[in-house]
Amino acid sequence: GSCYKVLTSMLSCRSGRLTPSQVAKNIIATLEDCDKSTPPLRAIVQWDQEQIMLMAEASTARYRNKCTLSYLDGIPVCLKEEFKVVPYHHRVGTAYLGTKPEMEDATVAKKLREAGAIIIGVSNMHELGTGTTGCNPNRYHMIPRNPYKPNHYTGGSSSGSAAAVAAGLCPVAIGTDGGGSVRIPASFCGVVGLKGTFGRISGHGCLPLSYSTVSVGPICTSVADAAIVYSVLAEPDPLYPYGLKQPKANLSDMCALDLKGLKLGVDWKYFKACDAEVLSICEKAVEHLQSFGASVVEVSLPEMEEVRIAHAICILSEMRDFLQPDFNKHFHEMNLETRATLALASQFTALDYITANRQRTRSMMFLREIFTTVNCILTPAVPCTAPRIYESDLVTGSSDLSFTVCSMRFMQLGNFTGIPGLVVPIGYSAAGLPVSFQVMAKWWDEAVLLRIGLKLEQFRYQTKKPSIYYDTLA
């Protein structure tokens, strides 16, 4: 559509002023620099100069010959270490997995290559995706820093992905979201995060930590960029059974000038369960959406406490089941927090898991009903801003269950029932940390999220530059 601020314009490759090769050289210099800084950024944990230049030179030649492969041709991207990406180690945030370089790409990595994107490396993540801070003190990873305030967390578990985009290393990163793992770090780092409908984007080649709650999605600098990446990645993959029956991704209404006719659902009691500072910005964002002609409809999201507990039982039971051999064999190589989380997970019974899945059926039924009356559900993204990093965290890690529970408050419904969610930055706290807003829609209706997201972006009257920021296009 005409509204695309196409990523390629960012590269101005069409004009030949700036080539993908030049951008790649800038990124390599930045990657060398950003881990020498104090403290090191630790966004990208594995990268290879030769690989980056090979992809960039191939793209530069395609621009020269006017035969680019897609809107993503020449665009720098990174993937969370949870994905298999040749020739990197598939460590998934651990110190013990991925002892040999990967020989095969995950489906999303393969699709990005086919689109001509330049994979600049794999990004840091919370060990085995088990937390929402991004705190990972092991020797291969260390703690990625929030580009807005380096003594604060990025959020997790797609921690490095959000930090890389916010710090300007690449405009696109790919993450996974089983309990907010794309949306929480995107929110804390002030960038856009999309969790697709369950099964929408292939998870093949991604460590299947929790098969019933995890969706794949992009973290980007803008909603238009997220739409482009989504349109490239969203389609059935014969190797990934969960998304085979999906309807075609369609973004035709995305660029409508207004939001007339859209009904935005808000459960105010649920919406208001957040810090005062977050709430005041989010309430104004709702009014902003109304100014485009959308109407706000009060809805009641039933049994949210049950959803919270049932989601926790599902994700933890599935992770514990999948990681059973690791827990027995590599217990002492895991971070303390991971051990504690998996030990807690082993307390659930088969009965708990079955009951939780009955709750899922109920919750999906309630949502089906709610989505007959509204087009989407609005919430704040995270009830608070990014927490700070303490000295001791760098050595022993951090385990703060009350923070984990709080950070996931508005996330779990989407993971538990499989509906898509988009988070968009809308402002800053008094301390200068990003505040974000979330829109959720019915299954497969990512288009309405992106349409509303484009309007939400106009609400933030200024974008503050992060204190760690690299201009790789200079």
Side-chain angles (χ1 to χ4, degrees):
S2 57
C3 76
Y4 279 176
K5 299 190 290 273
V6 179
L7 287 148
T8 39
S9 67
M10 178 201 102
L11 277 176
S12 51
C13 297
R14 297 245 184 273
S15 62
R17 272 203 313 274
L18 191 60
T19 65
S21 299
Q22 186 53 55
V23 173
K25 284 186 185 120
N26 296 350
I27 289 170
I28 289 162
T30 302
L31 288 169
E32 285 169 346
D33 182 56
C34 66
D35 279 344
K36 288 195 189 105
S37 62
T38 318
L41 180 63
R42 296 306 294 156
I44 306 291
V45 287
Q46 299 180 59
W47 57 278
D48 180 304
Q49 184 168 344
E50 201 182 332
Q51 291 287 325
I52 298 170
M53 287 315 298
L54 275 174
M55 287 181 261
E57 278 154 12
S59 175
T60 301
R62 289 191 295 272
Y63 275 97
R64 201 182 300 123
N65 302 326
K66 300 191 171 34
C67 59
T68 50
L69 297 170
S70 78
Y71 282 135
L72 290 181
D73 207 326
I75 302 299
V77 304
C78 69
L79 291 95
K80 185 180 186 176
E81 200 181 54
E82 203 173 322
F83 293 97
K84 294 180 175 183
V85 183
V86 180
Y88 303 111
H89 295 264
H90 190 215
R91 292 196 180 111
V92 201
T94 70
Y96 66 85
L97 285 172
T99 50
K100 293 190 177 69
E102 209 40 59
M103 308 291 282
E104 204 182 335
D105 275 329
T107 297
V108 284
K110 191 161 147 277
K111 281 180 118 44
L112 288 167
R113 280 190 215 276
E114 286 164 359
I118 300 169
I119 297 173
I120 66 164
V122 291
S123 47
N124 207 341
M125 63 177 285
H126 204 104
E127 186 177 57
L128 296 166
T130 57
T132 60
T133 56
C135 178
N136 188 349
N138 77 39
R139 66 182 186 276
Y140 289 125
H141 298 86
M142 298 188 289
I143 298 178
R145 303 298 178 138
N146 190 317
Y148 276 92
K149 278 204 170 223
N151 59 339
H152 284 249
Y153 281 111
T154 54
S157 63
S158 309
S159 52
S161 298
V165 173
L169 296 177
C170 51
V172 174
I174 309 297
T176 59
D177 189 314
S181 283
V182 158
R183 293 164 293 159
I184 293 168
S187 304
F188 282 167
C189 293
V191 289
V192 172
L194 173 66
K195 175 196 99 69
T197 303
F198 177 75
R200 178 60 112 176
I201 297 173
S202 174
H204 174 74
C206 179
L207 201 72
L209 291 162
S210 162
Y211 50 88
S212 79
T213 67
V214 174
S215 295
V216 176
I219 293 175
C220 298
T221 32
S222 72
V223 174
D225 291 356
I228 292 170
V229 180
Y230 167 76
S231 65
V232 169
L233 298 180
E235 64 173 2
D237 172 12
L239 300 170
Y240 191 68
Y242 303 121
L244 287 178
K245 296 266 194 294
Q246 62 178 278
K248 201 162 170 39
N250 176 7
L251 298 178
S252 58
D253 292 343
M254 184 181 136
C255 302
L257 292 174
D258 55 40
L259 299 176
K260 286 198 179 80
L262 287 186
K263 294 189 173 75
L264 318 175
V266 180
D267 178 332
W268 285 110
K269 183 170 173 261
Y270 181 55
F271 190 100
K272 287 178 175 168
C274 61
D275 291 358
E277 221 176 359
V278 172
L279 180 61
S280 76
I281 301 175
C282 287
E283 285 178 330
K284 290 190 189 84
V286 175
E287 288 167 23
H288 168 78
L289 292 176
Q290 282 175 286
S291 74
F292 286 100
S295 55
V296 169
V297 178
E298 284 203 38
V299 294
S300 164
L301 296 171
E303 302 177 5
M304 289 310 290
E305 185 55 21
E306 287 81 349
V307 165
R308 184 177 77 76
I309 294 164
H311 166 265
I313 290 169
C314 285
I315 190 168
L316 288 170
S317 300
E318 289 168 8
M319 283 178 141
R320 182 69 176 83
D321 163 56
F322 180 73
L323 295 169
Q324 176 69 30
D326 298 42
F327 193 69
N328 292 337
K329 207 161 111 206
H330 298 285
F331 181 81
H332 293 290
E333 295 160 272
M334 291 175 171
N335 291 336
L336 293 171
E337 184 198 11
T338 308
R339 294 184 213 174
T341 305
L342 292 174
L344 167 72
S346 65
Q347 300 304 303
F348 298 126
T349 64
L351 186 62
D352 292 328
Y353 186 70
I354 290 165
T355 310
N357 275 292
R358 287 192 176 136
Q359 177 64 43
R360 193 192 312 246
T361 308
R362 278 176 72 84
S363 296
M364 288 172 81
M365 216 163 59
F366 294 139
L367 283 179
R368 201 164 279 130
E369 196 59 36
I370 288 168
F371 285 126
T372 60
T373 58
V374 296
N375 300 88
C376 64
I377 295 166
L378 307 179
T379 70
V382 190
C384 57
T385 51
R388 55 169 299 210
I389 299 168
Y390 292 94
E391 278 303 304
S392 61
D393 299 354
L394 305 175
V395 186
T396 52
S398 148
S399 182
D400 181 345
L401 214 53
S402 66
F403 168 75
T404 308
V405 169
C406 165
S407 65
M408 289 166 61
R409 180 172 299 144
F410 300 118
M411 300 286 146
Q412 292 173 287
L413 182 65
N415 293 114
F416 189 51
T417 62
I419 60 172
L422 177 75
V423 297
V424 179
I426 54 164
Y428 305 91
S429 68
L433 285 161
V435 170
S436 294
F437 192 87
Q438 175 173 239
V439 192
M440 292 180 281
K442 67 176 184 293
W443 301 271
W444 317 114
D445 197 6
E446 286 87 350
V448 79
L449 298 184
L450 295 160
R451 177 180 170 186
I452 295 166
L454 283 172
K455 299 294 178 264
L456 261 180
E457 263 180 332
Q458 299 169 21
F459 170 72
R460 187 171 64 165
Y461 63 93
Q462 59 163 161
T463 301
K464 291 187 181 158
K465 198 168 166 184
S467 62
I468 303 177
Y469 186 77
Y470 295 93
D471 184 356
T472 50
L473 299 179

